[in-house]
Every structure is written in C-alpha cells, then in structure tokens.
Amino acid sequence: MKNNLLSTIINPTDLRQLDEWQLPQLAKELRDFIIDIVSAKEGHLGASLGVVELTIALHYVFNTPKDLLIWDVGHQAYGHKILTGRREKFDTNRQLNGISGFPKRSESEYDAFGVGHSSTAISAALGMAIASNLNGDYDKQHIAVIGDASIAAGMAFEGLNHAGVTDANLLVILNDNAIGIDPSVGALKNYLTAVKTGTNPRQNNMIKSLNFDYSGPIDGHDIHAVIKELKRLQKIKGPKFLHIITTKGKGLKQAEEDQVKYHAPGKFDPISGEIHSKSEENLPPKYQDVFGLTILDLAKTNKKIIGITPAMPSGSSLKFMMEALPERAFDVGIAEQHAVTLAAGMATQGMIVYCNIYSTFLQRAYDQVIHDVAIQNLPVIFCLDRAGLVGEDGPTHHGLYDIAYLRCIPNLIIYSPLNEIALRNILYTAQLGLNHPIAIRYPRGRGVTVNWIQPYEIITIGKANCLVHGTETAVLSNGPIGNNVSLAIANLGHPNTVAHYDFAFVKPLDEEELHRIFRAFKKIITIEDGTIIGGFGSAIAEFATQYNYKAQLLTLGVPDSYIEQGTILEQQQFCKIDVNSLELLLSN
C-alpha cells in the first residue's frame, strides 16, 4: 500500500521535497481529497479538478510565496489552498468563520492577490512584475493563471497589450478547457480551438504578435511535461505565455461529461458522482427561472424582445430563450461593458433589450450604464440577478451596492419586486414601452410563491403599496426582504400596531405615499437587502430632510463592512434583517 503523500504536505516547501516521480500519486490524492470534501460541503468542483497537475507543478517549480502566483477568478484554487497550509481546515470552505472559497490576501501569504471576478490576473501580475523591477528584484517570478473564457474579456486584453511592451518578468498561463461556467463563446474561442487542433498556421499566432514568448499547447494533465516547460520558462526573462490544455472536472467521470452542472454541483456521492437530488415539487421557483421563462413567453409574441447575458446563460436562465429563439438571445462572453453598450445600440433601433447581469458584475460596466444608456435615455431593461446577500461566495459576489450606485443616475428607474409575481409583472410592463431605462433587481435562490404563473398585470411606475395597516410604527421595505417583515409582523401578538409598506420603486419614490406616512407615524423603519449607505433608507432620509419631517427614522440593511461567507440566513442575522431580529425589534 502506498504511503499517503498529501498528509505529509503542510506547505509547498514539503511538496518540493518529493521526487518528481511521486507527483502523479499526489495528484490523485489531491483530486480525491477535493472530491470528498466538496461532495459533502459543496463548492466549486470542476475547475479545481481540472488544474490539479498544474497546481502541483507550479508550487513544485516556483519558490512560492516569494514567487507570486495569481489565480484568475479563483474557482480553480482549491488545490492551491490545500497545498498551502489550509488542508486541515478545508472542510470549512465557504462556511461562516471558515476559509474563503476564493484566494484572499488576508487569509494566506500564498494568496498573492484576492479575486472573485474574472479577467484580473494578468493586470495584477503585471503590476507586481513592474514593481519588482522598480525595486531591483529581477529574479522574482510572477505567474498569472487564466482560463480561456476569462482571457476573452476586455481587461485581460488590456493587460496583454501593456505587458507586450514591457520587460516585466511575467508568465501568463492559459488554462484552456473551452469552458467557463458555461461553454466559452466567440471568435477567440474559435481561434484557440484551431490552435489546439492544429488547423491554425503556427506562424499565425496572435500571442506572439503581442510580443510574448509563446509555447504550447501542451497537455496540462501530463505533470512531467508541465514541470519541464515551467522550468524552461523560469529561465527566460520578459513576458511569456504558456498554453495548456486541460479537462474541467478531470478525474470524476460525471464532472467531465457534464461540465456545466458540475461547476458547482451541490452535494453528491463522492464515489459514483451522483448528485443528491432534491424534490422541487411544490416549491416556489428560482427567481432566475421566473426571469428566463417569462421573457421567453413574452418574446414569443413580441418580436422586438432580445436577451443578452455576459457568460451566464445557465446562471441567469437566459438559456431557455437561447434554446428556443437563438437568433434573439446572446451570450457575449465575459464582457459586461460590451453587453451594456450592445444593448444600448440595439435599443436605438427600437429593440426591447433585457440585459441580464448579476448585480456584482454590473459594477464592471458602470460607465456604460451612465454614458451609453442613461445619458441617452435609452430604455434598456437591466435584470440584476443575485441582488442582495448571496451566501457562501461571500464579499466578491454579494449584490449589495446596486441601489446606491444606480440611485444617483438620472433617467434610471430602479425596481425590486417583492416576490415572483411582481417580477413577472414588471418584466411584462417593461416590454410594453418605458420612457426610461430600468434596473430590476432580484435575489439568488427561491422565492415565496408556488403558484406564480398568473395573468400578467401592468405595474404603475413609482407606486408603493400598503401591505398591512397599522397605527404606531411604519415599516418601509424594498424588495423580497419585505417577506421577512411580513413574517415578523404575522408572528407579533399585537396586530394593527405595525404598518408595512412595499416600496418596490427606489426611483422614482412614491412621494405622495411618503407624505401620508410621515404625517401619520412618529416612528418609521426602512429595510433593504443592500448597503444602507446611499441605499433605499438613505433615499427616505433625504425625503424626510427635504420636507422637514421629524419622525424617528431607523434604517436597516447591510452595514458599512464586507459581509463574509456563510449562509444567507447567517448573513441576514449578522445584519439583523432576519425574521427573528425583526420580530424582536418590532415587539419593543
């Protein structure tokens, strides 16, 4: 029986004590370890399985942490974490008070750069390499590992463009597996496929044209070949580019065959790979599915409807429209800026464009929202999935800032549906024709309404609704977090003291209703699933100041701090916007 190698490795120094012939065994042990933990604890699986040999080779050849290793996005960094001192606590991955699911500088000296969004690795590594030169350290290595989906994004090209005219000691490793979360798309993907299959002339190399020392493609699962090439490149100065071919989900048959589902499969059997199924019968739908199925339904009768997503057709459920109406639904790859301005261009020609972007990713296209859409008052319909707290992915993925960063933009309507029926109705209302662009924000996960498919109703823009009448305290909620308020009020033993208003529109605010509220109540509470600085509560406070109302005003939401990984309930409890916290507050 072979000795267990992984258990002897606390950090890469231990790894470098092994003979090279032992590394394939270590790779198998590392894969098995990742599968065992993720099958029980959940997380991002396929990406980390695909880079096991590369991860071992990088730490075996390079002198990390002195040599700086930067992982793009970070979905693929589980092996890296396990080999760099976090093996014994890897079972706390993505949990409250556990380790982060992504590289994080404050967590380990081996995490050279914090990540979560894609396409940042080349720019970050180049910045480090230039700084090393300025500091007189010409031997330090700087390695950026980036996937074929991420390298297609604009920022990655900006980094390559700059690096090619420097003497920076930079190694870019392209982990080419033809898939991000969903399959890669675009002309660059076609080019890389041609390179892999040998149908592209070797002299027609776009990376060489950018002044990189290009090598590859090589088999990323042949650990000896990878080590040999890394050692060769280690001795070459200046910008270098290594193209490796890997299989996402390598080592688990089901993960190799269904790479989309096994990107983050939830709990599964570590031996068979079978995902533990959950009965979805009589459960409310996911908000993303309400979006995807509704716009498909609308698009069947409204020929001007178009759907756009930057690389998230499965996560956003635009896949339904892409499958049924492929000529009118577009995955543009990891290119949020392009997605927004593409939508703007289509809107100038009278098309009704639903641009579906996760809230956290719209941050990457802020200028385009202002400059290309709002200034021109183009009625683009932004559908912001994963708004609010998102759970285990933590600070890089929370959609907490959209209200604050969108509320200040003229011409823009902002709407947060209370439930799935409201989401369905605002999607219907928007395609009837709006005079302004609109941002519709909705959360990750399931809602509250099982029977959500009902006849469409037109929503009056800017109108708030009274859900519960009361006499003493008024609670003003924005979005699905209002369901926590409804439950808390229902649990109170003294009804009719607390009123509850659904302010789905943050902009425009229902000022007529607000005047009635501030005249009738001495205590007013606002609640939102977003940052309280600049958010919905701030808008209500501005109104009160403008009209000199003196009511006691309490704003609830996410405080001025980054909310770490954990379940959504744990995060709501930290922010005191869960049902129990609200019930306690309203009972006093």
Side-chain angles (χ1 to χ4, degrees):
M1 183 175 178
K2 294 180 179 178
N3 292 328
N4 184 283
L5 299 176
L6 184 60
S7 64
T8 68
I9 296 173
I10 305 301
N11 57 51
T13 301
D14 301 320
L15 169 63
R16 295 171 199 132
Q17 305 306 309
L18 298 178
D19 291 324
E20 188 176 320
W21 62 266
Q22 296 176 286
L23 299 183
Q25 178 189 336
L26 177 62
K28 183 180 187 312
E29 292 177 12
L30 183 55
R31 267 200 181 89
D32 290 344
F33 187 84
I34 293 171
I35 290 170
D36 284 344
I37 298 296
V38 177
S39 68
K41 300 291 186 176
E42 304 188 10
H44 296 105
L45 178 69
S48 286
L49 294 182
V51 295
V52 163
E53 287 85 5
L54 174 64
T55 303
I56 293 171
L58 286 167
H59 285 294
Y60 191 73
V61 172
F62 293 103
N63 184 27
T64 55
K66 182 180 185 300
D67 290 333
L68 301 176
L69 174 59
I70 299 95
W71 298 92
D72 202 85
V73 185
H75 290 147
Q76 72 276 50
Y78 286 2
H80 160 82
K81 291 202 168 204
I82 293 163
L83 295 175
T84 55
R86 287 163 279 187
R87 172 172 49 81
E88 292 188 355
K89 55 185 176 183
F90 186 68
D91 63 347
T92 70
N93 185 44
R94 303 173 80 243
Q95 297 177 20
L96 183 67
N97 301 319
I99 63 173
S100 169
F102 300 93
K104 186 175 182 180
R105 279 171 52 83
S106 61
E107 187 176 288
S108 171
E109 62 179 341
Y110 290 92
D111 291 358
F113 198 73
V115 291
H117 292 181
S118 84
S119 315
T120 62
I122 296 173
S123 296
L126 176 61
M128 296 171 186
I130 292 173
S132 293
N133 282 353
L134 292 172
N135 289 329
D137 189 348
Y138 301 106
D139 294 324
K140 180 179 287 190
Q141 305 282 334
H142 312 83
I143 307 104
V145 182
I146 188 168
D148 56 285
S150 295
I151 204 169
M155 185 176 178
F157 269 94
E158 293 168 21
L160 289 170
N161 181 58
H162 183 192
V165 294
T166 72
D167 60 353
N169 195 16
L170 171 69
L171 170 59
V172 175
I173 299 177
L174 174 61
N175 173 35
D176 186 354
N177 58 21
I179 189 169
I181 295 175
D182 287 280
S184 302
V185 297
L188 182 61
K189 181 254 183 141
N190 295 338
Y191 166 79
L192 293 172
T193 299
V195 171
K196 286 186 285 188
T197 58
T199 57
N200 186 76
R202 292 192 66 84
Q203 65 271 21
N204 181 26
N205 188 299
M206 63 180 295
I207 304 300
K208 283 185 177 180
S209 299
L210 293 172
N211 202 33
F212 276 76
D213 185 316
Y214 173 91
S215 61
I218 65 171
D219 181 357
H221 300 302
D222 183 341
I223 196 165
H224 303 298
V226 175
I227 288 173
K228 180 180 179 181
E229 187 59 18
L230 290 178
K231 286 182 176 180
R232 186 186 74 82
L233 292 170
Q234 192 178 29
K235 301 171 185 175
I236 298 174
K237 299 298 183 183
K240 306 169 286 288
F241 192 102
L242 173 59
H243 186 174
I244 70 168
I245 311 301
T246 64
T247 300
K248 188 172 183 178
K250 180 73 173 179
L252 185 66
K253 184 173 182 287
Q254 289 85 346
E256 293 183 31
E257 293 175 350
D258 193 340
Q259 296 175 332
V260 173
K261 182 181 291 186
Y262 282 81
H263 172 74
K267 295 181 180 180
F268 62 95
D269 186 287
I271 305 300
S272 69
E274 190 73 22
I275 295 174
H276 298 325
S277 61
K278 301 176 183 176
S279 174
E280 297 189 1
E281 187 177 354
N282 295 322
L283 288 177
K286 294 179 180 178
Y287 278 95
Q288 67 184 64
D289 289 342
V290 174
F291 160 78
L293 294 170
T294 299
I295 69 159
L296 173 58
D297 183 51
L298 296 171
K300 288 177 179 177
T301 55
N302 188 334
K303 305 302 181 184
K304 290 186 176 295
I305 288 178
I306 290 175
I308 296 174
T309 184
M312 301 304 294
S314 294
S316 72
S317 292
L318 188 66
K319 63 181 180 180
F320 298 129
M321 187 175 174
M322 291 176 66
E323 291 167 357
L325 302 169
E327 72 283 0
R328 288 162 54 199
F330 302 91
D331 175 6
V332 301
I334 302 176
E336 294 87 0
Q337 294 174 319
H338 168 61
V340 171
T341 305
L342 178 70
M346 290 179 172
T348 67
Q349 302 306 301
M351 308 309 288
I352 299 168
V353 190
Y354 291 83
C355 186
N356 186 292
I357 302 180
Y358 287 12
S359 169
T360 185
F361 297 148
L362 187 66
Q363 295 164 186
R364 296 157 62 98
Y366 188 55
D367 180 64
Q368 285 69 29
V369 173
I370 297 173
H371 186 274
D372 298 338
V373 176
I375 287 178
Q376 303 185 89
N377 202 23
L378 296 170
V380 173
I381 305 162
F382 293 106
C383 299
L384 306 188
D385 201 334
R386 272 61 165 182
L389 295 161
V390 298
E392 290 82 358
D393 280 343
T396 59
H397 282 60
H398 292 314
L400 301 177
Y401 309 110
D402 49 60
I403 293 177
Y405 71 67
L406 294 175
R407 194 169 68 84
C408 59
I409 301 175
N411 290 336
L412 189 64
I413 301 168
I414 305 173
Y415 180 86
S416 306
L418 177 67
N419 55 32
E420 303 90 312
I421 296 173
L423 173 57
R424 179 174 162 85
N425 286 333
I426 194 66
L427 293 171
Y428 168 74
T429 302
Q431 56 92 41
L432 296 177
L434 294 175
N435 296 322
H436 305 286
I438 184 171
I440 304 168
R441 65 186 307 268
Y442 50 93
R444 174 178 180 264
R446 298 186 185 277
V448 295
T449 311
V450 175
N451 299 315
W452 61 278
I453 299 180
Q454 300 179 14
Y456 293 115
E457 295 182 6
I458 297 175
I459 288 179
T460 303
I461 302 299
K463 186 74 173 68
N465 296 299
C466 182
L467 303 178
V468 177
H469 293 280
T471 58
E472 297 178 9
T473 300
V475 180
L476 283 52
S477 65
N478 171 258
I481 199 69
N483 293 295
N484 283 7
V485 177
S486 295
L487 288 172
I489 292 175
N491 291 339
L492 294 176
H494 42 90
N496 303 323
T497 59
V498 180
H500 181 200
Y501 295 83
D502 171 32
F503 272 78
F505 287 96
V506 176
K507 189 173 185 178
L509 280 171
D510 188 341
E511 293 199 354
E512 185 178 338
E513 190 70 78
L514 281 174
H515 281 298
R516 284 195 288 266
I517 292 169
F518 273 89
R519 288 168 184 156
F521 295 93
K522 293 183 179 179
K523 183 175 182 181
I524 296 169
I525 300 170
T526 69
I527 180 170
E528 61 199 293
D529 190 11
T531 177
I532 58 174
I533 296 182
F536 167 62
S538 290
I540 302 303
E542 290 164 13
F543 172 87
T545 300
Q546 179 181 355
Y547 293 100
N548 200 31
Y549 285 115
K550 302 300 184 183
Q552 178 187 352
L553 182 61
L554 174 64
T555 58
L556 301 177
V558 178
D560 186 24
S561 61
Y562 291 110
I563 309 301
E564 297 300 331
Q565 68 274 1
T567 66
I568 291 178
L569 176 58
E570 289 169 337
Q571 291 164 346
Q572 288 183 351
Q573 289 171 338
F574 176 81
C575 299
K576 301 189 185 311
I577 55 176
D578 62 293
V579 174
N580 290 339
S581 296
L582 293 173
E583 185 179 344
L584 181 63
L585 173 67
L586 296 175
S587 64
N588 293 329

